[in-house]
Amino acid sequence: MDKNTRFQIGPFAPNIWQIAFGLVMVLYSIIILITFQNYGITSDETHHVKYGADIVRWYTSGFQDRALFKTDNTYLYGGFFDTIAYLFSQLVPLDRYDANHLCNAFFGLLGILAAYRIGTHIGGSSFGFFCALSLLFTPRYYGHAFNNPKDIPFAVCYLWSLYGILLTMRAFPKISSGLLIKTGIAIGLTLGIRVGGILLWAYLAACWGWQYLQNRKTGTPVSFQRIALYYMSVIALSYGVMLIFWPWALTHPISAIPEALQIFSSFPEIHYSFFAGQYLGSNEIPWHYALTWLALTLPEFVLIGVPLTLFVCYRQRQQLHPIILLLVAAFFPIGYAIFTHTPLYDELRHMLFAIPPLVIISAFGMYHAIQYLQPKWQKAAYVITGICMSLTVWEMIQLHPYQYLYFNKLMAGGIEQASQKYETDYWESSYKAGVKWIDAHITFPQNERKLYVSSAYDNVAYVLNKNRFEFVKPPQPADIYLGNTRFDRHRLMPGEIIHTIHAKTVPLLYIIRIDPSYQHDPFFSQSAFRHIDLAEQYTQQENREAALQSYQKALQLMPGKNQKTGQIGQLYIKMGNLFFDDKNYREAAIYYQKAIDYDSDNAQNCAIAYNNIGLMYAHQSQLTNAIPYYQKALEKWPNYSKAHENIGDIYVRQQQLDAAISAYLLAIDADRNAGKVYSKLAEMYTRKNDFHKAIAAFKKLIQNYPDEALNHYNLALLYHETQQNDAALESYQQAIRLSPNFFEPHHMMGKLLMQLKKYPEAIESLLKARQINNRDADVCNDLGVSYIHTDQAEKALSAFEQALQLNPAHSDALKNLTVFKEAISP
């Protein structure tokens, strides 16, 4: 079909498929420009908006502004897209988030272009057009493209990297330097978004290794050394590009990739999702979780195309190298997640990058299977394919702007049926529509106060009209409450439902006029999550009896309560914690044991329960009884950092310092976020007079918490103790820079300067210390000594006298004053 008549357009002579693709790209661009402002702020987006700005500030401040390292885990991602989006937002006259969405959407468009290029590479421009159209009409990809700043950019760069690898396979073994550079940059940008891009190194090695062996079999001369040099050049270039956009990797060039991989593959933080009618934690999802989401959310024409690809591969058996690479790129990450039990949540967004190659594979099956049909059936097949795509497009139009919530009809029964058992608006993007509605429909008299609006979703504050509304938390004093259906947030605050935001007929967000008289309405009172929320409020108010009753009610109402779910186990643990805080350890133990008995296969919940029982014994100074429970916790969850730390604390109390050190090291190995354990480790080394290791521990602590002045002060004390004077002064000064009114660093730096006989500098530091705390006799005495050495007799006398006024028993001040008076007496 590519041999059809070409059209002369200036110096170009495109065929009809190239023209059609160009028109599609233009039309898609126009749609983006018309609709991008309809999409809401997603739950992760604020972190990435801040991350992009922080990266730019880090560079422009000469690496002094370290705010980007203060996040929980955002720094473990590359910041390529976040940086680009921030710079883009500075150039366009748009709201910060709208600018992000526009940038995000055009990244999605680049993914369509990559699909076209790959398709054209495999089967010509007609197939390229079909691949591009297939990806464009994949609703979950289309919907995420507008406001997913992490998964869509990664998917797009992943696809372009695969295209680069395919081009090198065709050129092998005579690969041009330009192609090597382009492939290296593409892989580097992928790594500059998520560390999972390291898979591309393996794909490249496998493809070139296979090509090398094939060339050897056919007798084609090929130099292993040259190919190895090519490979290492791509790795080196991609690594360098990654470092540019990933500050944490730039500061940890050796350990960044393995540490990030380890953290994300285990990811101790548990997130819950609504799956198959129950709330499951990311640690307890079934093995088929990812496959189920694929089956439910891929459009029918993709589901049909995948098995057809296997049929076509069986028939052709030749020139399938590109398809094999795409099959691996699509299914290996999913298979790896299944076999390693990688924690997943929020449907398949963490595996979104596997969807574009999967769509191309599907398109290959459909496109080529039709070629095997007789001519009279081919037209019918094209018509059926067109109808399937058209139905999907119509569904996308109906869902707008919530295309990311698409469920197919074939396997899921559409969003209307699937929403009863599966997560819908987990990205929480419907809040923007809710805010727009209240701005357009809620009126009140002029000159009256602003209307108070509240929500469990803090990002509502970013889209409110600040002239009319004020965001407040907690929600009790608010006038209007916005809650989406995730975790029953729409049922947390009772009141009159005045409007609902829908995706087709499925409610996503409720706008509620708060009215406590509705609290017994079954719509609100029969929600497990409302009672959990009430229990937490009662706990803060120290009304533990009411909190316990609310937790018990939540247990009765929790979806999937008759099945073993981690959320039920967590409720038992929270109930136990109520009694623990009251020091009613007998009752606490009963609930912890219920959590263990309820689901003995839930490693994290059982570990937490055993750990808390151990804490109960530790609080009662029954140390020998505590350790076995901590060990049980670790049998369930070997990487439970807190249990290792608690064992270390027991050993400290037993004066077993070496055992404590071993336990603290295990706690740190188990969880990088347990960085504060380094302070305990440093204390143990200090008590053992192993100052070298103590200093190393404090340095590690400072790497994790660089902006805590106390850490720099404690490190300075160790330097001071070991007579590393320059390092001590630098650390004292850093502590002071971070906390100018921190008394101790000023005083101790003054003492060190006195030891170094730098008395004028010592006086300056001691005067600052006295300004912060004028009730410290030691500072006054040290000032007196420093004044003597700078021939300031009157000031010395006054300082010693002030020291004795503050502490008449201060022996050093009394001795110094006596000696000084004798020295100056005639």
Side-chain angles (χ1 to χ4, degrees), residues 85-113:
Y86 172 77
L87 295 175
F88 178 76
S89 72
Q90 303 305 299
L91 299 175
V92 295
L94 291 170
D95 168 81
R96 180 68 178 87
Y97 289 94
D98 284 339
N100 243 52
H101 295 170
L102 183 58
C103 188
N104 219 128
F106 277 113
F107 248 78
L109 182 142
L110 290 176
I112 306 300
L113 177 59

mmCIF file of all heavy atoms in Angstrom, residues 85-113:
data_model
loop_
_atom_site.group_PDB
_atom_site.id
_atom_site.type_symbol
_atom_site.label_atom_id
_atom_site.label_comp_id
_atom_site.label_asym_id
_atom_site.label_seq_id
_atom_site.Cartn_x
_atom_site.Cartn_y
_atom_site.Cartn_z
ATOM 1 N N ALA A 85 9.105 20.525 32.272
ATOM 2 C CA ALA A 85 7.783 21.106 32.526
ATOM 3 C C ALA A 85 7.907 22.420 33.292
ATOM 4 O O ALA A 85 7.174 23.386 33.021
ATOM 5 C CB ALA A 85 6.920 20.119 33.297
ATOM 6 N N TYR A 86 8.832 22.480 34.255
ATOM 7 C CA TYR A 86 9.013 23.733 35.003
ATOM 8 C C TYR A 86 9.499 24.852 34.089
ATOM 9 O O TYR A 86 8.970 25.978 34.117
ATOM 10 C CB TYR A 86 10.006 23.526 36.146
ATOM 11 C CG TYR A 86 10.377 24.830 36.826
ATOM 12 C CD1 TYR A 86 9.497 25.438 37.713
ATOM 13 C CD2 TYR A 86 11.576 25.463 36.544
ATOM 14 C CE1 TYR A 86 9.812 26.647 38.312
ATOM 15 C CE2 TYR A 86 11.910 26.668 37.141
ATOM 16 C CZ TYR A 86 11.020 27.259 38.026
ATOM 17 O OH TYR A 86 11.336 28.458 38.611
ATOM 18 N N LEU A 87 10.499 24.537 33.270
ATOM 19 C CA LEU A 87 11.022 25.554 32.348
ATOM 20 C C LEU A 87 9.948 25.991 31.355
ATOM 21 O O LEU A 87 9.827 27.179 31.029
ATOM 22 C CB LEU A 87 12.245 25.002 31.611
ATOM 23 C CG LEU A 87 13.467 24.692 32.494
ATOM 24 C CD1 LEU A 87 14.556 24.033 31.676
ATOM 25 C CD2 LEU A 87 13.987 25.962 33.168
ATOM 26 N N PHE A 88 9.139 25.034 30.892
ATOM 27 C CA PHE A 88 8.043 25.353 29.970
ATOM 28 C C PHE A 88 7.040 26.284 30.644
ATOM 29 O O PHE A 88 6.549 27.243 30.036
ATOM 30 C CB PHE A 88 7.361 24.057 29.524
ATOM 31 C CG PHE A 88 6.186 24.254 28.615
ATOM 32 C CD1 PHE A 88 6.368 24.577 27.277
ATOM 33 C CD2 PHE A 88 4.887 24.107 29.080
ATOM 34 C CE1 PHE A 88 5.286 24.763 26.433
ATOM 35 C CE2 PHE A 88 3.794 24.286 28.248
ATOM 36 C CZ PHE A 88 4.002 24.618 26.917
ATOM 37 N N SER A 89 6.748 26.017 31.918
ATOM 38 C CA SER A 89 5.765 26.843 32.639
ATOM 39 C C SER A 89 6.235 28.276 32.812
ATOM 40 O O SER A 89 5.417 29.190 32.992
ATOM 41 C CB SER A 89 5.468 26.235 34.018
ATOM 42 O OG SER A 89 6.565 26.415 34.898
ATOM 43 N N GLN A 90 7.555 28.499 32.762
ATOM 44 C CA GLN A 90 8.089 29.854 32.894
ATOM 45 C C GLN A 90 7.992 30.626 31.592
ATOM 46 O O GLN A 90 8.158 31.846 31.576
ATOM 47 C CB GLN A 90 9.549 29.797 33.348
ATOM 48 C CG GLN A 90 9.776 29.053 34.650
ATOM 49 C CD GLN A 90 8.942 29.589 35.797
ATOM 50 O OE1 GLN A 90 9.076 30.753 36.169
ATOM 51 N NE2 GLN A 90 8.074 28.759 36.353
ATOM 52 N N LEU A 91 7.692 29.908 30.496
ATOM 53 C CA LEU A 91 7.663 30.545 29.184
ATOM 54 C C LEU A 91 6.247 30.833 28.682
ATOM 55 O O LEU A 91 6.078 31.639 27.770
ATOM 56 C CB LEU A 91 8.377 29.648 28.160
ATOM 57 C CG LEU A 91 9.859 29.362 28.426
ATOM 58 C CD1 LEU A 91 10.389 28.371 27.397
ATOM 59 C CD2 LEU A 91 10.684 30.647 28.396
ATOM 60 N N VAL A 92 5.247 30.161 29.261
ATOM 61 C CA VAL A 92 3.883 30.310 28.757
ATOM 62 C C VAL A 92 3.014 31.011 29.797
ATOM 63 O O VAL A 92 3.180 30.807 31.000
ATOM 64 C CB VAL A 92 3.275 28.933 28.397
ATOM 65 C CG1 VAL A 92 4.032 28.308 27.239
ATOM 66 C CG2 VAL A 92 3.260 27.997 29.598
ATOM 67 N N PRO A 93 2.072 31.843 29.365
ATOM 68 C CA PRO A 93 1.212 32.589 30.301
ATOM 69 C C PRO A 93 0.037 31.740 30.789
ATOM 70 O O PRO A 93 -1.113 32.037 30.516
ATOM 71 C CB PRO A 93 0.735 33.766 29.443
ATOM 72 C CG PRO A 93 0.692 33.209 28.056
ATOM 73 C CD PRO A 93 1.827 32.222 27.951
ATOM 74 N N LEU A 94 0.360 30.671 31.512
ATOM 75 C CA LEU A 94 -0.656 29.734 31.984
ATOM 76 C C LEU A 94 -0.476 29.476 33.464
ATOM 77 O O LEU A 94 0.617 29.646 34.022
ATOM 78 C CB LEU A 94 -0.559 28.397 31.229
ATOM 79 C CG LEU A 94 -0.954 28.370 29.744
ATOM 80 C CD1 LEU A 94 -0.559 27.040 29.127
ATOM 81 C CD2 LEU A 94 -2.455 28.594 29.593
ATOM 82 N N ASP A 95 -1.567 29.040 34.086
ATOM 83 C CA ASP A 95 -1.486 28.518 35.440
ATOM 84 C C ASP A 95 -0.432 27.409 35.475
ATOM 85 O O ASP A 95 -0.250 26.670 34.501
ATOM 86 C CB ASP A 95 -2.857 27.962 35.843
ATOM 87 C CG ASP A 95 -2.807 27.134 37.105
ATOM 88 O OD1 ASP A 95 -2.807 27.719 38.193
ATOM 89 O OD2 ASP A 95 -2.762 25.879 36.981
ATOM 90 N N ARG A 96 0.272 27.280 36.598
ATOM 91 C CA ARG A 96 1.380 26.318 36.705
ATOM 92 C C ARG A 96 0.946 24.903 36.344
ATOM 93 O O ARG A 96 1.670 24.183 35.638
ATOM 94 C CB ARG A 96 1.947 26.343 38.135
ATOM 95 C CG ARG A 96 3.116 25.382 38.358
ATOM 96 C CD ARG A 96 4.340 25.821 37.597
ATOM 97 N NE ARG A 96 5.472 24.934 37.836
ATOM 98 C CZ ARG A 96 5.718 23.829 37.155
ATOM 99 N NH1 ARG A 96 4.904 23.448 36.191
ATOM 100 N NH2 ARG A 96 6.781 23.084 37.415
ATOM 101 N N TYR A 97 -0.219 24.497 36.817
ATOM 102 C CA TYR A 97 -0.656 23.121 36.556
ATOM 103 C C TYR A 97 -1.186 22.967 35.134
ATOM 104 O O TYR A 97 -0.983 21.920 34.502
ATOM 105 C CB TYR A 97 -1.682 22.683 37.602
ATOM 106 C CG TYR A 97 -1.045 22.471 38.951
ATOM 107 C CD1 TYR A 97 -1.012 23.489 39.899
ATOM 108 C CD2 TYR A 97 -0.431 21.274 39.256
ATOM 109 C CE1 TYR A 97 -0.385 23.316 41.123
ATOM 110 C CE2 TYR A 97 0.193 21.073 40.482
ATOM 111 C CZ TYR A 97 0.216 22.096 41.404
ATOM 112 O OH TYR A 97 0.846 21.909 42.608
ATOM 113 N N ASP A 98 -1.846 23.974 34.625
ATOM 114 C CA ASP A 98 -2.282 23.911 33.230
ATOM 115 C C ASP A 98 -1.071 23.820 32.303
ATOM 116 O O ASP A 98 -1.093 23.091 31.304
ATOM 117 C CB ASP A 98 -3.125 25.140 32.876
ATOM 118 C CG ASP A 98 -4.535 25.057 33.445
ATOM 119 O OD1 ASP A 98 -4.982 23.931 33.753
ATOM 120 O OD2 ASP A 98 -5.183 26.109 33.580
ATOM 121 N N ALA A 99 -0.027 24.559 32.627
ATOM 122 C CA ALA A 99 1.201 24.485 31.821
ATOM 123 C C ALA A 99 1.778 23.076 31.875
ATOM 124 O O ALA A 99 2.231 22.531 30.858
ATOM 125 C CB ALA A 99 2.218 25.503 32.327
ATOM 126 N N ASN A 100 1.759 22.483 33.058
ATOM 127 C CA ASN A 100 2.239 21.109 33.196
ATOM 128 C C ASN A 100 1.425 20.152 32.334
ATOM 129 O O ASN A 100 1.969 19.265 31.671
ATOM 130 C CB ASN A 100 2.142 20.669 34.664
ATOM 131 C CG ASN A 100 3.490 20.365 35.250
ATOM 132 O OD1 ASN A 100 4.390 21.195 35.162
ATOM 133 N ND2 ASN A 100 3.655 19.193 35.825
ATOM 134 N N HIS A 101 0.096 20.343 32.336
ATOM 135 C CA HIS A 101 -0.776 19.447 31.576
ATOM 136 C C HIS A 101 -0.551 19.604 30.074
ATOM 137 O O HIS A 101 -0.572 18.607 29.341
ATOM 138 C CB HIS A 101 -2.234 19.725 31.929
ATOM 139 C CG HIS A 101 -2.567 19.403 33.349
ATOM 140 N ND1 HIS A 101 -3.756 19.763 33.954
ATOM 141 C CD2 HIS A 101 -1.861 18.756 34.311
ATOM 142 C CE1 HIS A 101 -3.762 19.349 35.208
ATOM 143 N NE2 HIS A 101 -2.617 18.735 35.439
ATOM 144 N N LEU A 102 -0.323 20.821 29.641
ATOM 145 C CA LEU A 102 -0.057 21.032 28.218
ATOM 146 C C LEU A 102 1.263 20.365 27.820
ATOM 147 O O LEU A 102 1.340 19.690 26.786
ATOM 148 C CB LEU A 102 -0.006 22.531 27.916
ATOM 149 C CG LEU A 102 0.203 22.921 26.447
ATOM 150 C CD1 LEU A 102 -0.897 22.345 25.567
ATOM 151 C CD2 LEU A 102 0.271 24.434 26.299
ATOM 152 N N CYS A 103 2.280 20.553 28.641
ATOM 153 C CA CYS A 103 3.568 19.924 28.379
ATOM 154 C C CYS A 103 3.435 18.400 28.398
ATOM 155 O O CYS A 103 3.974 17.699 27.537
ATOM 156 C CB CYS A 103 4.590 20.389 29.412
ATOM 157 S SG CYS A 103 6.286 19.870 29.096
ATOM 158 N N ASN A 104 2.704 17.894 29.374
ATOM 159 C CA ASN A 104 2.469 16.459 29.508
ATOM 160 C C ASN A 104 1.781 15.896 28.261
ATOM 161 O O ASN A 104 2.155 14.845 27.719
ATOM 162 C CB ASN A 104 1.594 16.192 30.740
ATOM 163 C CG ASN A 104 1.998 14.950 31.505
ATOM 164 O OD1 ASN A 104 2.207 15.002 32.709
ATOM 165 N ND2 ASN A 104 2.111 13.829 30.830
ATOM 166 N N ALA A 105 0.760 16.611 27.787
ATOM 167 C CA ALA A 105 -0.008 16.146 26.636
ATOM 168 C C ALA A 105 0.845 16.094 25.379
ATOM 169 O O ALA A 105 0.725 15.157 24.570
ATOM 170 C CB ALA A 105 -1.217 17.051 26.418
ATOM 171 N N PHE A 106 1.725 17.079 25.208
ATOM 172 C CA PHE A 106 2.581 17.050 24.022
ATOM 173 C C PHE A 106 3.652 15.967 24.133
ATOM 174 O O PHE A 106 4.134 15.461 23.119
ATOM 175 C CB PHE A 106 3.185 18.429 23.761
ATOM 176 C CG PHE A 106 2.242 19.330 23.018
ATOM 177 C CD1 PHE A 106 1.714 20.459 23.624
ATOM 178 C CD2 PHE A 106 1.846 19.037 21.729
ATOM 179 C CE1 PHE A 106 0.823 21.286 22.941
ATOM 180 C CE2 PHE A 106 0.960 19.849 21.041
ATOM 181 C CZ PHE A 106 0.438 20.968 21.645
ATOM 182 N N PHE A 107 4.007 15.592 25.359
ATOM 183 C CA PHE A 107 4.856 14.410 25.525
ATOM 184 C C PHE A 107 4.102 13.175 25.051
ATOM 185 O O PHE A 107 4.667 12.304 24.384
ATOM 186 C CB PHE A 107 5.261 14.242 26.994
ATOM 187 C CG PHE A 107 6.720 14.459 27.232
ATOM 188 C CD1 PHE A 107 7.228 15.737 27.285
ATOM 189 C CD2 PHE A 107 7.592 13.397 27.388
ATOM 190 C CE1 PHE A 107 8.579 15.957 27.492
ATOM 191 C CE2 PHE A 107 8.938 13.604 27.586
ATOM 192 C CZ PHE A 107 9.442 14.882 27.645
ATOM 193 N N GLY A 108 2.817 13.095 25.418
ATOM 194 C CA GLY A 108 1.999 11.985 24.946
ATOM 195 C C GLY A 108 1.935 11.931 23.436
ATOM 196 O O GLY A 108 1.960 10.847 22.821
ATOM 197 N N LEU A 109 1.863 13.105 22.789
ATOM 198 C CA LEU A 109 1.851 13.175 21.335
ATOM 199 C C LEU A 109 3.151 12.616 20.753
ATOM 200 O O LEU A 109 3.152 11.942 19.720
ATOM 201 C CB LEU A 109 1.641 14.623 20.907
ATOM 202 C CG LEU A 109 1.556 14.906 19.398
ATOM 203 C CD1 LEU A 109 0.523 15.984 19.125
ATOM 204 C CD2 LEU A 109 2.907 15.351 18.857
ATOM 205 N N LEU A 110 4.278 12.874 21.435
ATOM 206 C CA LEU A 110 5.557 12.318 20.979
ATOM 207 C C LEU A 110 5.539 10.791 21.029
ATOM 208 O O LEU A 110 6.215 10.130 20.235
ATOM 209 C CB LEU A 110 6.698 12.848 21.846
ATOM 210 C CG LEU A 110 7.037 14.336 21.684
ATOM 211 C CD1 LEU A 110 8.123 14.747 22.664
ATOM 212 C CD2 LEU A 110 7.478 14.633 20.252
ATOM 213 N N GLY A 111 4.759 10.231 21.956
ATOM 214 C CA GLY A 111 4.613 8.783 22.010
ATOM 215 C C GLY A 111 3.885 8.248 20.791
ATOM 216 O O GLY A 111 4.216 7.167 20.269
ATOM 217 N N ILE A 112 2.883 8.999 20.325
ATOM 218 C CA ILE A 112 2.168 8.608 19.096
ATOM 219 C C ILE A 112 3.135 8.635 17.917
ATOM 220 O O ILE A 112 3.113 7.739 17.051
ATOM 221 C CB ILE A 112 0.978 9.555 18.841
ATOM 222 C CG1 ILE A 112 0.047 9.619 20.071
ATOM 223 C CG2 ILE A 112 0.213 9.113 17.607
ATOM 224 C CD1 ILE A 112 -0.549 8.313 20.477
ATOM 225 N N LEU A 113 3.988 9.654 17.882
ATOM 226 C CA LEU A 113 4.985 9.744 16.815
ATOM 227 C C LEU A 113 5.951 8.558 16.877
ATOM 228 O O LEU A 113 6.318 7.997 15.837
ATOM 229 C CB LEU A 113 5.751 11.061 16.942
ATOM 230 C CG LEU A 113 6.890 11.290 15.936
ATOM 231 C CD1 LEU A 113 6.363 11.248 14.498
ATOM 232 C CD2 LEU A 113 7.592 12.615 16.226
#
